[in-house]
Amino acid sequence: MCGIAGLWGADSIDEDRARQQVEGMLSTIVQRGPDAAGFAFVQGAGVALGHRRLSILDLSERGAQPMWSRSGDHCIVYNGEVYNAPEIRRELDGRGIGVDWRGHSDTEVVLEAIEFLGLEEALTRFRGMFAFALWDHKRKRLSLVRDRLGIKPLFYASTTRGVAFASELRALVEVPWLRTRLDRGALAAFLRYAVVPDHTCIARPVRKVRPGTIVSFSGPADEPTVDVYWDAARIALTGLQNPFTGTDREAVELLATALRESVALRMRSDVPFGAFLSGGIDSSTVAALMQDVAATPVKTFCIGSSLAGYDESSAAAAVAEHLGCEHHTLVADPDEVLGVVPDIADYWDEPFADSSQIPTFLVSKLTRRHVTVSLSGDGGDELFAGYNRHAWAPRLWNVASRVPLGMRRALAALRLFKVEDWDRAARLAGFGGSLRLPGDKVYKVAALADVRDPHAFYERLRSQWSDPGRVLAEEVGAASPRREFDAPFAEQMMLCDLLEYLPDDILTKVDRASMAVSLEARVPLLDHEVVELAWRFPTSLKIRGRTQKWILRQVLERHVPRELFDRPKMGFGVPVGTWLRGPLRSWAADLLDPATLRQDALFNPETVAETWQVHQAGRGNHEHQLWAVLMFQSWWRSNRGKIES
């Protein structure tokens, strides 16, 4: 796992100045590659490529980057891992490529496969996660490529002054000739979703290479061409149109085989590896399959909490003990958790407000003390209908759509009672142990009262500020691609999750948290062959009665007794709402100071103040809305001198 950066200037530039600029970019992302640095300059073309290395495979200099192909026709800077590189290498040898291999790094295989097969054909062979820049010396062409699901990030900017690219935005703002400006449309989208969506960037003119996409430049001042080599929407719809028709047993066997192969591929490493283990279905499945493959106990890692309703460490420990793993638990002291908050925005180079970023960072930090690579269970919810909304939203919409809009709006009255009152009522009714955060769920249902169609229903479920214009200083539309698919409502939500929520939120969270501590996180459930198979499984194999992720549960039950994992979904969160009324109150009040908000002229101080006061008084739970504003303000304090408003 690594960090990459580079330039292709439209003006002539000498090697020394190019090196200085690229090394300045790389200095901001050292954490992505602390082991080594590399630089290459293409004389006569003005192309500069830089690399920071986290050594995982072939730790020798033979795996160093930037790397030129044997012929000298291609040069690559590459971030990621292609896990089936040994198989590709054997294929190339069998086809008479005639390469005298220098080492056993996957980078070399990726480069020579591209040279021999061509870029597009080589990409069909790669199983893994990657973001890379490829210089084609013969064609004088620069290509930026991102993996199919968007596991690894890649930012770029294209102006009349040239092209610049990097693994993170923070590196691009260091480019002397690149003037960046806050994108207020992206800010509005951030307030809605708590993340900056993949189709935009918080700073203009920077953009992101989209998942499964090649962005190519034939000249430093030319507009790029964009080619999609793997389309998740097309894959999903093709799977729905050609569903698996075998028996339940055959489906479970097929999935178990695919997952075991994916996990085994991701256990290839020249450095120590382990797994995140929360005790939930996804991470337990990954850990179980790892232990099934491994000859020695697999190291597993979990963060515990002393906060009621937020601790999964006992469940994780029970699963680990049953599997025979070498388990490590860090019960985080509340002061330690709170101590992360003031700096957490700095680890995300765009604003990010999913508060599970805090425990994700802490578990990454714990894991890095023991290993350099960790496997994660991310992706299971999106592929196998694991989010609660996948089950209850279609049922709720089916009922709500039959009720006149005016009558539905009466549900808004549910928010007249405090969150704490609904929590207390649930306990008195006997639901306290089985329903987590009932008051929050009541407020969420009330917020859905006035939606008019299924897509708006889904959008409201994902929204923090459903009307970002209300909190912004000026009315700005929150850019959002309206995705409509010819599929049942549950599948529509799962596909939107795969295309948007997964890369924008989940994968960004895991990448930034793990890379902040120089840990490589691998996601075997998101092997593209597993994704393609999962979309062939009908909903009946994912949601059966009131059981979600049914087929994944069947795979796990082959290794772990049901009683160890058959429990309500908890999520991976922290009590932000309570903290904002307690230990984080002063920190938050400082960031939300009305005078500062007026000076920045980005937010409406009155709306922010009203939301803050309502939350403090307990008349409503506005933790998500406030956290979004707070995370932006914290990020903006660090970046207002680099990005124009």
Side-chain angles (χ1 to χ4, degrees), residues 237 240-241 484-488 492:
L237 294 174
L240 291 173
Q241 292 163 6
E484 295 181 350
F485 305 108
D486 184 16
Q492 289 187 45

Side-chain angles (χ1 to χ4, degrees), residues 274-292:
F276 299 141
L277 178 59
S278 69
I281 294 166
D282 304 335
S283 65
S284 296
T285 300
V286 170
L289 293 171
M290 289 179 72
Q291 194 58 74
D292 190 49

Side-chain angles (χ1 to χ4, degrees), residues 392-393 396 400 408-415 438-451 457 460-461:
W392 63 259
L396 183 59
R408 278 193 274 132
R409 284 175 173 159
L411 285 171
L414 294 171
R415 304 185 78 167
D440 193 48
K441 289 178 170 60
V442 169
Y443 267 60
K444 186 170 287 189
V445 170
L448 298 170
D450 61 347
V451 296
F457 196 91
R460 188 66 62 84
L461 283 171

Side-chain angles (χ1 to χ4, degrees), residues 83-84 125-129 148-149 151 230 235 258-259 261-266 378-379 383 498 522-534:
Y83 308 110
N84 63 330
R125 306 292 206 279
F126 299 161
R127 294 180 67 177
M129 55 183 183
R148 296 170 178 86
L149 279 304
I151 301 169
W230 194 87
I235 292 294
L259 288 177
E261 179 186 18
S262 177
V263 166
L265 282 174
R266 284 156 180 80
D378 294 295
L383 294 180
L498 183 70
R522 299 176 173 180
V523 280
L525 298 185
L526 292 178
D527 183 284
H528 74 277
E529 293 189 7
V530 173
V531 173
E532 291 169 3
L533 175 63

Side-chain angles (χ1 to χ4, degrees), residues 182 187 190-191 202 341-346 350-353 465 471-473 587-605 608 625-641 645:
L182 186 70
L187 172 57
F190 164 74
L191 292 171
I202 198 65
V341 173
D343 299 321
I344 197 72
D346 290 339
E350 284 189 286
F352 189 87
W465 289 90
V471 71
L472 289 169
W587 167 81
D590 176 54
L591 288 170
L592 302 180
D593 175 59
T596 301
L597 295 181
R598 289 191 186 93
Q599 181 179 351
D600 288 340
L602 296 173
F603 293 104
N604 182 326
V608 173
Q625 293 95 324
L626 289 168
W627 191 250
V629 178
L630 288 165
M631 283 295 97
F632 177 83
Q633 285 295 96
S634 183
W635 174 86
W636 187 234
R637 278 192 176 181
S638 299
N639 289 276
R640 58 158 57 98
S645 62

Side-chain angles (χ1 to χ4, degrees), residues 313-346:
S313 61
S314 59
V319 171
E321 182 179 9
H322 176 81
L323 293 173
C325 299
E326 179 189 318
H327 191 58
H328 302 261
T329 301
L330 171 65
V331 178
D333 180 89
D335 290 339
E336 180 182 1
V337 178
L338 290 167
V340 170
V341 173
D343 299 321
I344 197 72
D346 290 339

